């Protein structure tokens, strides 16, 4: 286990669908001996239904309102690793909270990587009903400047998960040293 002695904040993974937030988050939590949590999972538990159903009944705005509430609760406690849904860091209040109570880590991936990694994702409402490459391209354009505000950005293209996790830990150590 790697110990980061000065870590007193939650590590919050942000980025687009397919970036690897949950997979990398679990691995990171395991290596650092921290609990892992996933905001989409917590939202589904709170709502008692799937993300698809939340979008169908409350719309994207309703989902985002719930997400904001749930993430605020998840940042209010002992440090952990938190994987967030792709829209979480876009909300200014949630972003400010994440940056205050946690350390935002953006897992960055280019369009080809995201196309490959979302190939089998069928439960993402935003990826339905259109050309996936076009949808993801527009999301990259709209969101990457905002994800770019994260304290740490890690490029994941062409990297195995193990290498990405190692890079995240190295970048975290440098970030904590610089504080
Ligand atoms: C969304 C991303 C999804 C989920 C919802 C909306 C988005 O989470 O929260 O479908 O707007 O980017 P992941 O980023 O974990 O796939």
């Amino acid at each position: 286990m790697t110990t980061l002695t000065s870590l007193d904040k939650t590590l919050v993974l942000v980025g687009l669908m397919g970036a690897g937030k949950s997979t990398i988050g679990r691995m990171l939590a395991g290596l650092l001996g921290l609990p892992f949590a996933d905001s989409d999972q917590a939202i589904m538990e709170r709502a008692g239904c799937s993300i698809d159903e939340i979008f169908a009944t409350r719309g994207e705005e309703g989902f985002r309102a719930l997400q904001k509430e749930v993430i605020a609760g998840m940042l209010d406690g002992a440090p952990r690793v938190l994987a967030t849904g792709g829209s979480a860091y876009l909300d200014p209040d949630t972003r400010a909270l994440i940056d205050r109570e946690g350390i935002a880590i953006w897992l960055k991936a280019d369009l080809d990587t995201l196309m490959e990694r979302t190939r089998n994702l069928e439960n993402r409402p935003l990826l339905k009903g259109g050309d996936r490459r076009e949808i993801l391209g527009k999301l990259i354009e709209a969101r990457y400047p905002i994800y770019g505000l994260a304290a740490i950005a890690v490029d994941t293209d062409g990297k195995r998960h193990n290498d990405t996790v190692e890079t995240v830990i190295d970048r975290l150590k440098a970030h904590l040293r610089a504080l």
Side-chain angles (χ1 to χ4, degrees):
M1 194 197 299
T2 309
T3 38
L4 294 177
T5 41
S6 50
L7 183 68
D8 58 357
K9 291 183 165 189
T10 285
L11 304 177
V12 185
L13 297 163
V14 305
L16 266 185
M17 296 167 272
K21 292 166 289 179
S22 301
T23 307
I24 298 298
R26 274 200 187 83
M27 292 171 74
L28 188 61
L31 280 172
L32 298 178
L34 291 171
F36 171 76
D38 184 309
S39 70
D40 278 349
Q41 196 59 45
I43 291 165
M44 288 192 280
E45 279 160 25
R46 168 82 78 88
C49 61
S50 69
I51 303 286
D52 268 329
E53 284 164 330
I54 300 171
F55 268 70
T57 54
R58 310 183 193 196
E60 186 175 1
E61 285 316 304
F63 168 78
R64 288 200 187 191
L66 187 55
Q67 174 172 255
K68 186 170 178 165
E69 210 180 296
V70 167
I71 290 181
M74 296 177 94
L75 286 167
D76 182 20
R80 60 178 102 177
V81 177
L82 174 61
T84 60
S87 59
Y89 199 62
L90 307 179
D91 178 85
D93 297 333
T94 303
R95 187 165 63 248
L97 192 63
I98 289 174
D99 290 340
R100 197 178 70 226
E101 304 295 331
I103 300 172
I105 301 166
W106 174 25
L107 297 183
K108 190 175 180 189
D110 71 15
L111 184 53
D112 285 335
T113 301
L114 292 174
M115 282 298 288
E116 173 62 25
R117 295 200 194 134
T118 60
R119 206 159 31 112
N120 298 319
L121 287 186
E122 294 306 332
N123 56 354
R124 300 298 193 281
L126 294 188
L127 296 181
K128 291 179 184 164
D131 178 73
R132 189 166 286 199
R133 180 168 278 273
E134 199 178 311
I135 294 171
L136 283 169
K138 285 188 178 150
L139 289 173
I140 286 176
E141 207 179 309
R143 294 181 175 187
Y144 276 22
I146 302 174
Y147 294 148
L149 300 170
I152 294 173
V154 172
D155 226 313
T156 68
D157 296 319
K159 283 193 192 151
R160 289 199 312 246
H161 290 327
N162 278 338
D163 297 329
T164 298
V165 177
E166 286 306 319
T167 307
V168 169
I169 291 177
D170 287 347
R171 301 291 303 282
L172 256 173
K173 285 180 182 163
H175 176 79
L176 292 170
R177 268 199 304 271
L179 285 182

